[in-house]
Amino acid sequence: MSIGSYSEVKTNSGMLTVQVSAEDIKAFADLAILVPKAAANAQRRAINKTLGWLRTHIARAVGRQEKIAVRAVRQRLRSYPVAGGSMRGKLWFGINPLEASRAGRARQTKAGVSVAGRRYRGAFYKKVYGNQADIWIRTASKHFDRADYPDSDVTSSKGVSSGWIAENSDRHPLAKAKISLEAVRPHFDSWSRNADERLLQILRYEMNYELQKYLKGTRRV
């Protein structure tokens, strides 16, 4: 039985499932019985449009709250539109820490690096691995603050783990600046409720559109 849209939050990601509740479907039962294919098409379009709306508004809200470029948040959102016979769409959101260099335009200064209103004293902006520059700091620096480098835990004096890179040798380990997205976790429930409201609004429009097409066709017979 369809319970409508809902959310699931895990360690590094959250999933929003968008679907029409059984109660809402009853409101359009006559059309569904009369022209089931048209009703299914309306439902599919409504869910997919709601996914697009949700992705846009979540990206804007998170970008504004966390002071992160909207494009960077959108890269963490992945839509799975309705496919096949399953009348449900999904929106995946990766909420593990985001590289600070993606929050906006990073600027190197003598004191460190600034980006999107954040300042990382003692840090430097350069390519260490891969083709993209990131914000790094030597862990031995007096300016190193673990709060600015989440998801970066060293297991031993010589070990290297998530977020930590040893430049040339273990003598000079580096930490990559990242931004925690933990603050978005409480919002998943409200996002799923907003999705339900928006889905019903669009579904009414799409069902009416299909009904008008059907009635127009019958008048021609």
Side-chain angles (χ1 to χ4, degrees):
M1 186 176 194
S2 174
I3 59 172
S5 303
Y6 61 92
S7 63
E8 299 173 282
V9 186
K10 299 181 179 179
T11 303
N12 294 322
S13 65
M15 184 75 79
L16 287 159
T17 298
V18 179
Q19 61 182 3
V20 182
S21 68
E23 183 179 347
D24 289 337
I25 282 294
K26 287 180 182 178
F28 305 101
D30 292 341
L31 179 61
I33 294 172
L34 193 62
V35 274
K37 184 177 180 180
N41 288 339
Q43 192 173 338
R44 185 186 67 254
R45 289 197 305 271
I47 291 174
N48 291 342
K49 287 181 179 180
T50 301
L51 284 175
W53 177 87
L54 198 58
R55 185 169 184 260
T56 295
H57 284 267
I58 288 178
R60 288 176 181 172
V62 173
R64 184 168 54 249
Q65 175 182 309
E66 301 299 326
K67 296 180 180 179
I68 299 172
V70 172
R71 65 178 180 278
V73 182
R74 287 179 67 87
Q75 290 172 356
R76 287 295 187 89
L77 292 161
R78 189 176 304 160
S79 297
Y80 296 91
V82 173
S86 175
M87 280 299 173
R88 63 175 59 178
K90 294 180 180 292
L91 182 66
W92 178 89
F93 188 2
I95 56 177
N96 49 309
L98 176 76
E99 288 82 356
S101 58
R102 295 168 59 187
R105 183 179 178 182
R107 299 176 185 276
Q108 180 74 62
T109 67
K110 291 182 179 180
V113 181
S114 63
V115 59
R118 295 176 173 84
R119 297 183 183 280
Y120 297 93
R121 294 188 65 193
F124 56 90
Y125 182 62
K126 65 175 289 187
K127 294 179 183 178
V128 175
Y129 285 95
N131 298 320
Q132 183 173 323
D134 277 303
I135 300 170
W136 303 89
I137 192 172
R138 294 187 185 280
T139 58
S141 171
K142 65 179 181 180
H143 299 298
F144 173 63
D145 184 348
R146 286 178 179 272
D148 292 329
Y149 303 85
D151 195 30
S152 301
D153 298 321
V154 64
T155 56
S156 68
S157 59
K158 294 184 179 180
V160 178
S161 64
S162 177
W164 296 77
I165 302 294
E167 186 180 38
N168 301 323
S169 71
D170 290 338
R171 294 174 56 194
H172 304 291
L174 303 175
K176 183 190 295 185
K178 295 184 179 182
I179 300 169
S180 174
L181 295 179
E182 287 295 309
V184 308
R185 287 177 176 274
H187 297 299
F188 276 90
D189 283 343
S190 62
W191 288 338
S192 62
R193 290 194 297 272
N194 291 341
D196 253 351
E197 294 174 5
R198 182 65 176 179
L199 175 59
L200 184 56
Q201 180 182 5
I202 298 176
L203 183 61
R204 289 193 182 101
Y205 171 82
E206 294 295 343
M207 284 291 195
N208 184 62
Y209 172 73
E210 291 293 341
L211 178 61
Q212 295 306 315
K213 282 203 309 181
Y214 174 76
L215 293 177
K216 186 177 181 180
T218 57
R219 286 196 293 268
R220 291 176 177 175
V221 177

